[in-house]
C-alpha cells in the first residue's frame, strides 16, 4: 500500500519569491510520482511526473521537482512565483505495475501568492 | 488538445435517489477511472475500468456504486441510492495504453445530496 503526506496545508508567499511544497511518500513497492494542480473550480491538471531516470523533473509553468529515494520525498519547487500560481497542489503516487494504476493523493497544499 | 469532459457540472439530488454521472474520456484511451473529493478532503480513488470490466476498486466503491461504458465514448458512474455522505466532487480520468501513461482528469461533477 502507498500513502502520501503533504506537510503543509497552506503556503502563503509573495509574488516573485521562491516556493517549495513538500511531499513525502511511503510504499512497499516501486512507484511513479506526480504533482497535479487544481485551479479554483477546475479539475486536476498534471504539472509533472517522475517515472525513471534523472531525479530532477521539470514541468509546466516553471515548476520542477526532485525525487529523493533515500528520503522518500518529491518536493515541488518554483524559483519565482506569480499571482496566477495561486491554486491547490496535490502530490500523488502509484505503483509501477498496471494493476497498481490508481493514484494515491496527498491532502493537498493551497498555495496563495500575494502581490 | 484532447480533454476529458464530464456532465453535468453540478447535480443536486434528494437522498435515496439514483444519479448517473457521465464522462467522455479521451478518444484513444483504454483505461478509465473515477475519483471523488469530499469538500476539504483529499482526492480518493473509487474504481478503475479496462477492457469492459472493473480492474480495481476501493473500499468506498460498495454495492451502491456501478460503472458502465455503454457505448464507445461514454463512461458512467451510477450511485443507486444516494446518501448525504456521497456529496462530493466526482472526477473522471482516462489514460492511454502503457503502464506509464498519465491520467488526464475531467473538470468534475459536483454532487450535492440533500
Amino acid at each position: 500500500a502507498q500513502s502520501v503526506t503533504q506537510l503543509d496545508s497552506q503556503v502563503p508567499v509573495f509574488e516573485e519569491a521562491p516556493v517549495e511544497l513538500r511531499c513525502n511518500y511511503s510504499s512497499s513497492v516501486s512507484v511513479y510520482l506526480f504533482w497535479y494542480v487544481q485551479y479554483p473550480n477546475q479539475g486536476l491538471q498534471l504539472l509533472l511526473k517522475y517515472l525513471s531516470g534523472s531525479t530532477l523533473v521539470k514541468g509546466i509553468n516553471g515548476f520542477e521537482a526532485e525525487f529523493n529515494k533515500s528520503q522518500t520525498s518529491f518536493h515541488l519547487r518554483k524559483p519565482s512565483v506569480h499571482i496566477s500560481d495561486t491554486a491547490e497542489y496535490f502530490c500523488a503516487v502509484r505503483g509501477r505495475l498496471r494493476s497498481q494504476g490508481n493514484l494515491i493523493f496527498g491532502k493537498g497544499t493551497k498555495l496563495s501568492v500575494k502581490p | 488538445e484532447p480533454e476529458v469532459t464530464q456532465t453535468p457540472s453540478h447535480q443536486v439530488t434528494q437522498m435515496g435517489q439514483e444519479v448517473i454521472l457521465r464522462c467522455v474520456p479521451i478518444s484513444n484511451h483504454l483505461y478509465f477511472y473515477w475519483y471523488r473529493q469530499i469538500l476539504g478532503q483529499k482526492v480518493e480513488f473509487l474504481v478503475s475500468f479496462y477492457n469492459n470490466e472493473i480492474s480495481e476498486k476501493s473500499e468506498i466503491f460498495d454495492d451502491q456504486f456501478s460503472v458502465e461504458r455503454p457505448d464507445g465514448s461514454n463512461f458512467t458512474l451510477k450511485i443507486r441510492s444516494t446518501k448525504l455522505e456521497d456529496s462530493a466532487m466526482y472526477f473522471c480520468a482516462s489514460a492511454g495504453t502503457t503502464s506509464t501513461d498519465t491520467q488526464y482528469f475531467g473538470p468534475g461533477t459536483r454532487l450535492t445530496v440533500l
Side-chain angles (χ1 to χ4, degrees), chain A residues 16-77:
Chain A
E16 297 183 7
V19 70
E20 178 180 83
L21 306 183
R22 296 179 292 170
C23 172
N24 287 89
Y25 71 93
S26 67
S27 178
S28 55
V29 299
S30 295
V31 296
Y32 298 134
L33 294 148
F34 306 82
W35 276 98
Y36 283 84
V37 60
Q38 185 179 31
Y39 297 104
N41 301 314
Q42 294 187 30
L44 297 164
Q45 180 183 1
L46 181 71
L47 268 182
L48 49 78
K49 60 184 177 183
Y50 172 77
L51 303 179
S52 64
S54 172
T55 57
L56 183 63
V57 180
K58 294 189 184 296
I60 62 171
N61 301 339
F63 284 93
E64 62 181 34
E66 185 154 20
F67 169 56
N68 188 317
K69 188 175 182 179
S70 62
Q71 297 186 6
T72 59
S73 67
F74 190 54
H75 300 332
L76 181 70
R77 302 186 185 103

Side-chain angles (χ1 to χ4, degrees), chain A residues 4 32 34 36 38 41-44 46 49 51 88 90 94 96-103 105-107, chain B residues 31 33 35 37 41-45 56 91 95-108:
Chain A
V4 176
Y32 298 134
F34 306 82
Y36 283 84
Q38 185 179 31
N41 301 314
Q42 294 187 30
L44 297 164
L46 181 71
K49 60 184 177 183
L51 303 179
E88 190 157 17
F90 292 92
R94 55 154 284 197
R96 289 179 172 244
L97 299 178
R98 172 45 72 187
S99 61
Q100 303 164 337
N102 54 293
L103 291 167
F105 286 87
K107 288 188 175 182
Chain B
Y31 295 87
Y33 307 84
Y35 293 83
Q37 184 183 28
Q41 298 186 25
K42 64 171 68 176
V43 177
E44 302 172 291
F45 167 75
E56 289 180 271
F91 293 106
T97 59
T98 71
S99 63
T100 59
D101 277 354
T102 298
Q103 292 181 31
Y104 292 90
F105 284 76

Side-chain angles (χ1 to χ4, degrees), chain B residues 6-109:
Chain B
Q6 290 184 244
T7 54
S9 56
H10 193 186
Q11 173 90 46
V12 181
T13 189
Q14 295 291 325
M15 190 169 55
Q17 294 296 304
E18 174 184 288
V19 295
I20 298 176
L21 310 183
R22 291 183 168 79
C23 168
V24 179
I26 293 172
S27 63
N28 61 343
H29 283 185
L30 301 179
Y31 295 87
F32 313 112
Y33 307 84
W34 283 102
Y35 293 83
R36 79 172 184 190
Q37 184 183 28
I38 295 172
L39 189 64
Q41 298 186 25
K42 64 171 68 176
V43 177
E44 302 172 291
F45 167 75
L46 292 178
V47 65
S48 60
F49 192 86
Y50 170 72
N51 200 25
N52 283 320
E53 61 183 20
I54 290 173
S55 47
E56 289 180 271
K57 60 181 180 179
S58 72
E59 58 191 24
I60 302 169
F61 193 86
D62 61 22
D63 291 344
Q64 70 161 342
F65 291 92
S66 61
V67 289
E68 195 178 33
R69 188 156 162 81
D71 52 42
S73 60
N74 290 283
F75 179 52
T76 62
L77 174 69
K78 182 191 291 185
I79 309 175
R80 193 178 356 265
S81 177
T82 50
K83 305 173 194 163
L84 294 176
E85 54 265 37
D86 293 328
S87 294
M89 182 73 89
Y90 288 80
F91 293 106
C92 173
S94 70
T97 59
T98 71
S99 63
T100 59
D101 277 354
T102 298
Q103 292 181 31
Y104 292 90
F105 284 76
T109 293

